[in-house]
């Protein structure tokens, strides 16, 4: 049998082009001088981009996100040239989409264990596309430049609608499906209600006496959200005044062992509530201005309510502007669907019931809708 080092260049190119990730391409090139020489002397950049397309695609939508700036409309198609600099920027964006792709099944089928499964290749591709497109909307329209008093200005509403209008109805449904998954992470993990946080702690703490002491000490101001002291000076005072948060008897005795727990388990023990259902609703609406990357970052690192507040303050202009402005995507999405003859409430119900969205079953349920007509793509 012939050695791999004697394979002709055509076969080596086919091997490289069959690899599914950028890491596989790089690792193969390090296997021998022969493989490394072939990659360096062939179309290395196209080979890497092809692997990135298979791993993180669609790269076209990542490019739209990375090349957006406020000097041009978000819906205008941009086609940057391939370069190593562009590829390096695409990899972290794609990595965020891959994490959400992995979280999707456990969130979509949270209570339906019999239906839970991994996403097919096509479904994974559609979920990543939805991430990039929703992320672009967040970058363009959910920032400090768009305050509450401007959200209903006709010109700004039209700017938001132009971006979503360029998507088919099926693609809009997929984006909303993805947004619902992110909203579920925010409302259950990062900003739970008082009752949900208490139930989570009770379920994961085995010490009844400590449990009672924990809630008595740490929930003295349940209904104080949102705080009215979010200036840099007052927030520093708030940070100092809350340093004892969660320092119960349980924490003192088990601090080291608890620090070794995964973030998700620690959060179930340490995350306090953000008010009752009504107060929490408005908090979540504000939090949904965050990009998918920011939500995933906090999902992986935030343990306490203070962690979330500090991240918002440091990274999201988290003063009065942030907490006084809810998300605008759902309003714009509903407007587009209404103009296309769809009932937004019915569509959202179909998504929540698993009858529409990213999964193949949902696509079959909507496959008879003619989204390609020119009239449906305009508002």
């Amino acid at each position: 049998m012939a050695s791999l080092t004697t394979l002709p260049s055509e076969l080596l190119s086919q091997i490289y082009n069959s690899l599914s990730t950028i890491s596989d391409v790089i690792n193969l090139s390090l296997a021998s001088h022969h493989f490394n020489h072939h990659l360096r002397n062939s179309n290395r950049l196209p080979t890497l981009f092809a692997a990135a397309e298979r791993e993180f695609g669609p790269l076209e939508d990542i490019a739209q996100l990375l090349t957006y700036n406020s000097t041009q409309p978000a819906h205008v198609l941009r086609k940057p040239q391939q370069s190593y600099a562009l590829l390096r920027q695409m990899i972290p964006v794609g990595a965020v989409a891959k994490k959400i792709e992995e979280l999707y099944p456990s969130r979509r089928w949270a209570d339906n264990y019999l239906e839970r499964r991994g996403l097919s290749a096509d479904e994974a591709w559609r979920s990543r596309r939805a991430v990039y497109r929703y992320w672009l909307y967040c970058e363009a329209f959910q920032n400090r430049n768009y305050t509450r008093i401007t959200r209903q200005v006709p010109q700004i509403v039209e700017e938001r609608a132009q971006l979503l209008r360029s998507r088919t109805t099926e693609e809009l449904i997929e984006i909303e499906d993805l947004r619902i998954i992110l909203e579920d992470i925010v409302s259950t993990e990062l900003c739970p209600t008082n009752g949900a946080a208490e139930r989570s702690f009770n379920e994961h703490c085995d010490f009844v006496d400590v449990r009672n002491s924990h809630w008595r000490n740490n929930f003295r101001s349940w209904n104080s959200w949102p705080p009215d002291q979010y200036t840099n000076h007052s927030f520093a005072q708030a940070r100092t005044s809350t340093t004892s948060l969660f320092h119960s008897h349980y924490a003192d005795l088990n601090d080291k062992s608890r620090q070794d727990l995964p973030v998700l388990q620690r959060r179930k023990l340490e995350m306090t509530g953000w008010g009752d259902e009504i107060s929490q609703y408005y908090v979540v609406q504000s939090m949904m201005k965050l990009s998918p990357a920011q939500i995933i970052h906090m999902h992986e690192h935030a343990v306490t309510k203070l962690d979330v507040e500090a991240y918002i303050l440091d990274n999201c202009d988290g003063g009065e502007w942030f907490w006084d402005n809810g998300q605008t995507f759902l309003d714009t999405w509903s407007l587009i669907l209404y103009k296309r003859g769809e009932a937004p409430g019915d569509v959202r119900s179909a998504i929540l019931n698993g009858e529409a969205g990213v999964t193949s079953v949902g696509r079959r349920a909507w496959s008879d809708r003619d989204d390609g007509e020119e009239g449906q793509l305009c508002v």
Side-chain angles (χ1 to χ4, degrees):
M1 182 170 56
S3 171
L4 289 176
T5 59
T6 63
L7 290 176
S9 298
E10 293 80 3
L11 289 179
L12 289 178
S13 296
Q14 291 186 23
I15 292 175
Y16 272 113
N17 290 329
S18 67
L19 299 177
S20 57
T21 69
I22 295 177
S23 297
D24 290 343
V25 171
I26 295 174
N27 290 334
L28 180 60
S29 70
L30 298 176
S32 70
H33 290 292
H34 182 64
F35 283 101
N36 186 271
H37 177 79
H38 173 80
L39 184 62
R40 285 190 291 107
N41 290 276
S42 61
N43 297 324
R44 177 168 56 177
L45 187 59
T47 300
L48 292 172
F49 264 88
E53 179 69 44
R54 292 187 290 272
E55 183 176 7
F56 302 125
L59 296 187
E60 179 183 18
D61 286 288
I62 300 182
Q64 289 293 101
L65 171 62
L66 292 176
T67 57
Y68 168 76
N69 61 70
S70 59
T71 63
Q72 56 186 320
H75 68 278
V76 173
L77 185 62
R78 297 171 291 277
K79 295 183 178 180
Q81 292 185 343
Q82 291 184 353
S83 67
Y84 291 111
L86 179 61
L87 182 61
R88 283 193 292 269
Q89 295 178 65
M90 285 181 167
I91 292 174
V93 175
V96 171
K98 294 289 287 186
K99 291 178 180 180
I100 297 175
E101 170 193 328
E102 294 172 358
L103 286 171
Y104 183 96
S106 62
R107 294 287 170 173
R108 170 53 59 216
W109 299 291
D111 300 321
N112 193 346
Y113 300 101
L114 296 179
E115 294 289 335
R116 189 178 298 178
R117 57 177 176 78
L119 299 182
S120 67
D122 289 340
E123 292 168 346
W125 184 87
R126 289 194 293 270
S127 72
R128 295 194 299 269
R129 181 178 64 178
V131 170
Y132 307 141
R133 292 182 172 182
Y134 178 65
W135 194 339
L136 176 60
Y137 182 93
C138 294
E139 289 291 323
F141 302 116
Q142 302 196 138
N143 54 59
R144 194 180 187 89
N145 296 327
Y146 296 89
T147 60
R148 176 176 294 277
I149 61 175
T150 65
R151 64 187 297 157
Q152 296 299 333
V153 175
Q155 180 181 353
I156 296 178
V157 173
E158 175 61 20
E159 291 177 2
R160 299 199 304 261
Q162 280 184 318
L163 178 58
L164 298 190
R165 188 183 296 127
S166 62
R167 316 303 186 192
T168 67
T169 301
E170 186 62 54
E171 291 168 351
L172 289 178
I173 292 172
E174 292 168 2
I175 297 173
E176 175 60 10
D177 186 11
L178 177 279
R179 195 196 68 84
I180 290 174
I181 296 298
L182 293 176
E183 187 175 61
D184 180 63
I185 293 174
V186 171
S187 63
T188 61
E189 297 287 341
L190 303 177
C191 303
T193 62
N194 291 338
E198 182 174 4
R199 286 191 298 272
S200 177
F201 180 83
N202 289 338
E203 291 172 359
H204 293 84
C205 180
D206 297 329
F207 306 96
V208 177
D209 56 335
V210 172
R211 183 182 304 161
N212 295 333
S213 173
H214 173 87
W215 292 102
R216 184 171 58 251
N217 294 335
N218 298 326
F219 282 84
R220 290 169 297 193
S221 58
W222 276 0
N223 297 317
S224 63
W225 188 262
D228 57 1
Q229 73 275 17
Y230 267 89
T231 62
N232 290 337
H233 173 70
S234 59
F235 185 82
Q237 294 177 336
R239 183 191 296 270
T240 302
S241 66
T242 55
T243 53
S244 61
L245 195 63
F246 297 107
H247 283 194
S248 62
H249 178 66
Y250 170 73
D252 295 335
L253 291 178
N254 300 277
D255 184 68
K256 184 179 184 305
S257 61
R258 191 177 48 169
Q259 293 295 326
D260 294 334
L261 292 174
V263 169
L264 179 60
Q265 294 184 25
R266 289 182 57 201
R267 185 158 57 227
K268 291 182 181 300
L269 290 170
E270 300 188 31
M271 180 62 73
T272 53
W274 294 67
D276 57 21
E277 285 77 6
I278 296 176
S279 299
Q280 186 242 15
Y281 170 81
Y282 290 103
V283 170
V284 171
Q285 291 303 300
S286 295
M287 290 284 288
M288 286 309 296
K289 296 193 302 294
L290 298 173
S291 72
Q294 292 170 323
I295 293 174
I296 291 301
H297 176 83
M298 284 195 288
H299 178 260
E300 294 179 339
H301 297 93
V303 174
T304 67
K305 181 177 178 179
L306 184 60
D307 292 338
V308 176
E309 295 171 354
Y311 181 86
I312 297 300
L313 183 70
D314 295 340
N315 297 277
C316 311
D317 297 326
E320 294 182 2
W321 163 80
F322 185 87
W323 296 114
D324 192 43
N325 289 272
Q327 57 88 19
T328 60
F329 178 87
L330 187 56
D331 292 341
T332 312
W333 181 87
S334 299
L335 171 66
I336 300 296
L337 263 64
Y338 176 77
K339 293 289 187 176
R340 293 182 182 179
E342 302 287 355
D346 293 343
V347 175
R348 279 179 51 83
S349 296
I351 295 173
L352 294 172
N353 293 332
E355 300 169 0
V358 169
T359 59
S360 297
V361 174
R363 289 184 63 83
R364 285 195 294 272
W366 291 82
S367 61
D368 58 338
R369 299 183 180 270
D370 187 7
D371 296 326
E373 293 183 6
E374 181 179 355
Q376 285 189 300
L377 294 178
C378 299
V379 173

